[in-house]
Amino acid sequence: MSAHAEIVRASAPAVAERQRLRLGMFYVVLLPVLAVSILAGIAIGSTPIPWQTILHVIGTKVLSHWVSTAGLSDSDIVIVWLIRVPRVMVAVFVGAGLATAGVIMQALFRNPLAEPGLVGAGPGAVLGAVIAFVAGWTLHSVLALPLAAIVGALLALVLVYAMATRGGVTPVATLLLAGIAVGTLLSALSSLLLSLHIVDWQIAQEIVFWMMGGLDSRTWTHLWICAPFVLLGVAAAMIQSRDLDLLQQGEETAASLGLDIEASKRLLTLTAALLTGAAVAVAGLLAFVGLVVPHAVRLVVGPSNRRLLPASALAGAAFLILCDLAARTLHPPTEIRLGVVTALIGGPIFIWLLWRRSWESGGESGSAGQ
Amino acid sequence: MNTLAAKNASISRNGRCILRDATVSLSSGQLLSIVGPNGSGKSTLLRTLAGLWQASDGEVLLNGQPIQSLSRKDVAKRIAFVPQESLMDFSFTVGEIVAMGRHPHRGRFSRETATDREAVENALERCDVVQLRHRLVTTLSGGERQRVVIARGLAIDPEFILLDEPTANLDVEHGLEVLELCSTLAKDGKAVAFATHDLNAVARYASSVVLVQGGKLIDAGDREHVLSRKNVEEVFRVRAELVATDEGHPVYVFHRRTENYQSVSE
């Protein structure tokens, strides 16, 4: 017993040291990867652009007083500044938003395999967008589609919440079931609208493409729609990071430690729905990003949400830029839909995590002798 | 002197009354035990006292103030609740878990203060988990977990400590340690209450006892009075034998009732 305690005592500081080291290593690896993916996302495409030109164009836009446009062709400026930079930046915010929403959902449902769409926000956003297509609003304004999607996400959340709440109390298990039920219903309504308009091939094609997710022809407008919601959502999540830690210990424990759990759950699901809505609004449905990224990052940086949230947001950004790069370059000249790529990459990772989890918990219960 | 009191409190869940008209009071320096068979309402009474479940009738008073009129945070600063089962699905370190006990004292944007750190250190020491500080809670044994969760409660630096079946998952040695700790805390002036069905633990440590059965208080008061052979036999539906020990407290030995059993009351 005392020998065992000695060993534990001797190795304990090493464990803390290793944790700090892992967090440090995570950023040492991730930040350069993010920077390189941003640069690669802008450089690589049907017209390759050298990185010097990219930095030059960005310089003329950001530091226009000091950097002249001399030596740059108009087409370089258009490709870099009007096509690729907004596309990559939208990927940054969508990836960060989905990963952050995933962190919130996984803490709220105390399940490391929960995902952002669980409270109906994903299917709600899709239905909003499909209505915008079918009603022809998308022809009038570029804002119609994303706004309809965000409104759809929030209305779906309100519906799910109303269904799951009784006497001011919203048990997470009921919330989950209501989310799945409403999500399935809303998805069916989207499919219904799609099948009713399948004869109008142009609308149907747009809907189908959009449902598969993608970042083609995204403009600065899309960035301005999505970025404020994502920044707001990530900030709100960071402010609630300790509440998320407490909720991961179970609702009763969280309440006994002073958390107003009903208010906290409302605010957190609202934050997650806004993030999901904003992401779906500009990028369509992207499977697995909000599920796989937080889970994988947690394995490296640990479960503390103060560390996990920013790390997941940045990792989500890098993951989505790289997926988008793959979508553009794997099968030229056709772009593979981004949602297909995230699912093809995320799916196997998810299966591996599941397999690893069941293997681990099997080992755990064995060693605990229960 | 701090007091926590339930006055004619009743609790209904899903339309069923699971605690009826309970009047209990707990004050500084007291070690109160809530005793009863499985499903008798021990945990319900404890949660009601902790303000986690709201009484449908009657009220709970914290130093004379209705507990529902206080904010969740104000209640949490003064009452620590230690659940029987703790969810430990995420691999936080023991240090992180115990530091969560400081949550009610911290503002949303405030950093950890020297007082916070000191309270965490004290709690780790009292529960003998200092050496586990950097371990992941997912790798702990049941007994270690229980001590970590108690440490989290102590880190609050509360006036009242309510423990639900604190020894249920512990081996004999650690069970005794936890009960000794409860006893020391009460001697230090904290008000401590624990729910249990381990009558021998109660006989050894508790100063006062509340006996519950079927959601109703059967008896409350001094241990010798409440845990009389008659009460124990009636509530637990067994034949009980009281054996004196060298240390002064009695030990209960239980036997199943046989066909021709006659209650002591008859």
Side-chain angles (χ1 to χ4, degrees), chain B residues 57 138 166 194 209 244 261:
Chain B
D57 265 313
T138 44
F194 66 100
V209 179
Y261 168 80

Side-chain angles (χ1 to χ4, degrees), chain A residues 178-316:
Chain A
I180 290 171
V182 170
T184 311
L185 188 69
L186 297 183
S187 299
L189 288 178
S190 296
S191 302
L192 176 68
L193 284 177
L194 175 62
S195 54
L196 289 178
H197 289 80
I198 204 89
V199 282
D200 189 345
W201 180 235
Q202 194 160 3
I203 290 181
Q205 188 187 26
E206 273 192 78
I207 295 177
V208 168
F209 261 43
W210 188 83
M211 277 179 160
M212 289 196 282
L215 292 174
D216 47 313
S217 24
R218 292 306 185 265
T219 63
W220 285 99
T221 312
H222 291 100
L223 183 65
W224 300 139
I225 292 166
C226 151
F229 286 112
V230 172
L231 289 174
L232 188 74
V234 172
M238 277 304 287
I239 289 172
Q240 298 174 85
S241 63
R242 268 195 277 138
D243 301 356
L244 287 170
D245 286 351
L246 291 183
L247 281 169
Q248 276 172 298
Q249 312 308 313
E251 282 187 39
E252 183 170 78
T253 295
S256 78
L257 292 172
L259 191 68
D260 181 345
I261 48 170
E262 294 306 326
S264 188
K265 279 188 289 189
R266 279 195 294 273
L267 199 55
L268 284 166
T269 45
L270 180 66
T271 308
L274 260 188
L275 286 164
T276 311
V280 175
V282 295
L285 264 188
L286 300 174
F288 289 112
V289 180
L291 189 159
V292 165
V293 171
H295 190 100
V297 173
R298 189 182 292 107
L299 293 178
V300 184
V301 308
S304 161
N305 288 285
R306 198 168 52 85
R307 294 193 296 265
L308 181 60
L309 280 163
S312 295
L314 291 176

Side-chain angles (χ1 to χ4, degrees), chain A residues 42 57-58 61-62 77-90 93 142-143 217-228 282:
Chain A
I42 301 171
V57 173
I58 293 174
K61 293 296 179 182
V62 179
I77 296 179
V78 167
I79 291 174
V80 171
W81 192 250
L82 294 183
I83 297 175
R84 298 214 186 134
V85 169
R87 179 173 189 153
V88 168
M89 290 313 287
V90 169
F93 282 96
V142 67
L143 290 175
S217 24
R218 292 306 185 265
T219 63
W220 285 99
T221 312
H222 291 100
L223 183 65
W224 300 139
I225 292 166
C226 151
V282 295

Side-chain angles (χ1 to χ4, degrees), chain B residues 74-99:
Chain B
D74 280 335
V75 174
K77 275 180 202 167
R78 303 164 78 176
I79 304 176
F81 175 75
V82 180
Q84 181 185 357
E85 299 270 353
S86 290
L87 302 161
M88 299 260 176
D89 306 331
F90 290 89
S91 51
F92 286 94
T93 64
V94 168
E96 285 171 330
I97 292 285
V98 176

